[in-house]
Amino acid sequence: MSAFLILVKRNIKLFFKDKGMFFTSLITPLILLVLYVTFLGNVYRDNFTSLLPDTLQLSSGLIDGLVGGQLVSSILAVSCVTVAFCSNFLMVQDKVSGAIKDFRIAPIKSSVLSLSYYMATLLSTLIICLIAMGFCLAYLAVVGWYLSFADVCFLFLDIVLLVLFGTALSSIINFFLSTQGQISAVSTIISAGYGFICGAYMPIYSFGETLQKIISFLPGTYGTSLIRNHTMQGVLAEMKAQGIPEAGMKELRDLLDCNLYFFGHQVDLPAMYLIVGIAVVVLIMLYVLLNKCKKQK
């Protein structure tokens, strides 16, 4: 246990000591927030208002609250995974520098070594994502606050769960990397592509039917929906109270990806938690197994 704690402390210290890596990871969610507000805010607002009947008039604050919740959920859903990849690049850098060879010949179990990287990445990513969550909640407080205390608590739980998933996923992918060029390539691909396949950048309904079915198998999609539900639950409840019928609310929740469907069957929130949780456990076990096989080889 002492070796595990020493390695975790060492990895976290090296990550925060690398100012370039740390600030890049921290600034990424903030840049996304600025870009979303600047370029996508009006698009989301126009798409929503075009769906409203002429007889229904909602306040601008309510609409801004809905748009803000959608923007914030997209940012947090993407950041929990992309930041994990940045935090986990220390594992690859140890391969580049040769430090990993010293660890592997030392009397340290492969499982301890692999889990120390995982835990250090988890804690570093969680710190950055919680800071990003604070900025996002401050933004919602400005444009329109409809979150309850329970919503904030569940949002925190969603972020923790999605960071666990992102860390496990990055650990497996980074396991096969060994050069700085590979780090840059993977970072670019993940940053550009993950937001689309998890439904953060574009609503799932906008994809083709075949692609929708493929995306329904990805755990990250359900993580994004969990965050969407808890950032927009309050504002959706207020809209229903102001006169939007139940059928209209269901259609709206479908369009916002608050409701997800697996081959026509709606997936409820407990099932979403279960899907992401099982994915985390399976990925961690696979990651430890890969390291164990590497040690034996």
Side-chain angles (χ1 to χ4, degrees), residues 50-149:
S50 65
L51 299 174
L52 295 177
D54 296 334
T55 56
L56 182 62
Q57 298 295 326
L58 298 177
S59 66
S60 59
L62 195 59
I63 296 175
D64 289 341
L66 178 71
V67 173
Q70 189 175 8
L71 293 175
V72 164
S73 61
S74 299
I75 293 168
L76 294 177
V78 172
S79 298
C80 289
V81 175
T82 56
V83 172
F85 272 86
C86 294
S87 303
N88 212 357
F89 282 148
L90 177 64
M91 180 173 67
V92 186
Q93 290 178 343
D94 279 350
K95 296 179 185 178
V96 176
S97 66
I100 191 67
K101 295 181 181 179
D102 298 331
F103 291 136
R104 292 197 183 281
I105 63 175
I108 302 175
K109 293 183 178 180
S110 60
S111 58
V112 172
L113 180 60
S114 58
L115 288 177
S116 68
Y117 282 118
Y118 180 90
M119 183 58 66
T121 301
L122 173 66
L123 295 176
S124 300
T125 305
L126 194 57
I127 291 172
I128 293 175
C129 288
L130 290 179
I131 294 174
M133 174 183 170
F135 280 103
C136 289
L137 291 180
Y139 169 71
L140 288 180
V142 173
V143 300
W145 181 272
Y146 292 92
L147 276 68
S148 65
F149 177 75

Side-chain angles (χ1 to χ4, degrees), residues 44-256:
Y44 286 168
R45 186 178 291 103
D46 292 340
N47 288 341
F48 172 69
T49 54
S50 65
L51 299 174
L52 295 177
D54 296 334
T55 56
L56 182 62
Q57 298 295 326
L58 298 177
S59 66
S60 59
L62 195 59
I63 296 175
D64 289 341
L66 178 71
V67 173
Q70 189 175 8
L71 293 175
V72 164
S73 61
S74 299
I75 293 168
L76 294 177
V78 172
S79 298
C80 289
V81 175
T82 56
V83 172
F85 272 86
C86 294
S87 303
N88 212 357
F89 282 148
L90 177 64
M91 180 173 67
V92 186
Q93 290 178 343
D94 279 350
K95 296 179 185 178
V96 176
S97 66
I100 191 67
K101 295 181 181 179
D102 298 331
F103 291 136
R104 292 197 183 281
I105 63 175
I108 302 175
K109 293 183 178 180
S110 60
S111 58
V112 172
L113 180 60
S114 58
L115 288 177
S116 68
Y117 282 118
Y118 180 90
M119 183 58 66
T121 301
L122 173 66
L123 295 176
S124 300
T125 305
L126 194 57
I127 291 172
I128 293 175
C129 288
L130 290 179
I131 294 174
M133 174 183 170
F135 280 103
C136 289
L137 291 180
Y139 169 71
L140 288 180
V142 173
V143 300
W145 181 272
Y146 292 92
L147 276 68
S148 65
F149 177 75
D151 291 332
V152 176
C153 291
F154 277 112
L155 180 59
F156 172 79
L157 177 62
D158 298 339
I159 290 176
V160 172
L161 184 60
L162 207 52
V163 168
L164 285 166
F165 170 75
T167 304
L169 180 63
S170 66
S171 296
I172 292 177
I173 294 178
N174 289 352
F175 176 85
F176 298 98
L177 307 183
S178 58
T179 66
Q180 292 287 352
Q182 292 173 348
I183 290 177
S184 301
V186 169
S187 177
T188 301
I189 293 173
I190 294 298
S191 299
Y194 178 77
F196 288 99
I197 63 175
C198 75
Y201 293 157
M202 296 177 61
I204 296 176
Y205 79 90
S206 62
F207 297 125
E209 183 177 352
T210 302
L211 188 55
Q212 289 183 35
K213 292 180 178 179
I214 294 175
I215 291 176
S216 67
F217 284 95
L218 304 179
T221 304
Y222 300 98
T224 301
S225 183
L226 285 171
I227 295 180
R228 287 209 192 284
N229 272 279
H230 294 128
T231 55
M232 293 190 286
Q233 184 168 273
V235 69
L236 289 174
E238 181 63 24
M239 288 182 173
K240 183 178 179 179
Q242 293 195 14
I244 297 182
E246 185 62 36
M249 291 302 303
K250 181 180 182 301
E251 181 179 359
L252 181 58
R253 293 179 66 87
D254 289 347
L255 295 177
L256 294 173

Side-chain angles (χ1 to χ4, degrees), residues 278-290:
I278 292 175
V280 170
V281 173
V282 171
L283 290 175
I284 292 177
M285 292 176 62
L286 178 59
Y287 170 61
V288 174
L289 181 62
L290 287 172

